[in-house]
Amino acid sequence: MTNKLYDLEQEVRKAIREWAEAHPDNDIDYDGSLHEIVDGAVPIYTGDLMELAAENINLATDMPELGPAFDGSPTPVNIVASNVYEHLSNIAWEEWQTIEAEREEAEAVN
C-alpha cells in the first residue's frame, strides 16, 4: 500500500530543491514560488483528498489555520484540502531551511 501523503511530501521536497538549484542566489519567499509549488501539489479531486484523509485522520479533523480551501465553505473536502496545503507548506519550509543551512555551510567552507 502506498502512502500518498508521503509521495506528495517527496514531490514538494524535490520541487523546492529544483527551484533552489535553478535560483542559487534567490530566496524562495521573495516571489511566492514556495506557495506556487505547494498549491500545485494539493490534489483537487474529492476522491484524492478523501484518500489522503483516510491515511491521516488529522487532515480531516484538524481545524486549518487558513480556513477552508476553495470557496471557503466549511465542507469536509475544503477542510481536508486546506489541511493538506498547510501540511505540505510545513514540509516545504523545512526543506527550504535545510537548503539555506546547506548554502551557509558551503559559503563558510569557501
Side-chain angles (χ1 to χ4, degrees), residues 3 7 9 15 18-19 43 46 53 66 73 85 95 106 110:
N3 182 324
D7 293 343
E9 291 171 0
E18 288 173 352
W19 188 95
T46 300
L66 299 174
S73 58
Y85 175 86
E95 192 66 24
N110 293 331

Side-chain angles (χ1 to χ4, degrees), residues 29-107:
D29 194 34
Y30 178 74
D31 65 356
S33 294
L34 186 136
H35 165 74
E36 289 178 22
I37 290 168
V38 173
D39 190 51
V42 176
I44 59 170
Y45 296 111
T46 300
D48 294 336
L49 289 165
M50 293 298 100
E51 281 183 45
L52 291 171
E55 280 181 18
N56 183 332
I57 194 69
N58 293 333
L59 295 175
T61 58
D62 289 350
M63 180 60 70
E65 289 181 26
L66 299 174
F70 304 126
D71 68 356
S73 58
T75 65
V77 171
N78 292 357
I79 289 170
V80 170
S82 189
N83 281 330
V84 170
Y85 175 86
E86 288 178 8
H87 177 80
L88 294 176
S89 183
N90 289 336
I91 295 296
W93 282 113
E94 286 174 12
E95 192 66 24
W96 181 250
Q97 289 172 345
T98 300
I99 291 166
E100 284 186 318
E102 291 168 357
R103 286 179 173 180
E104 288 175 12
E105 187 177 308
E107 284 179 21

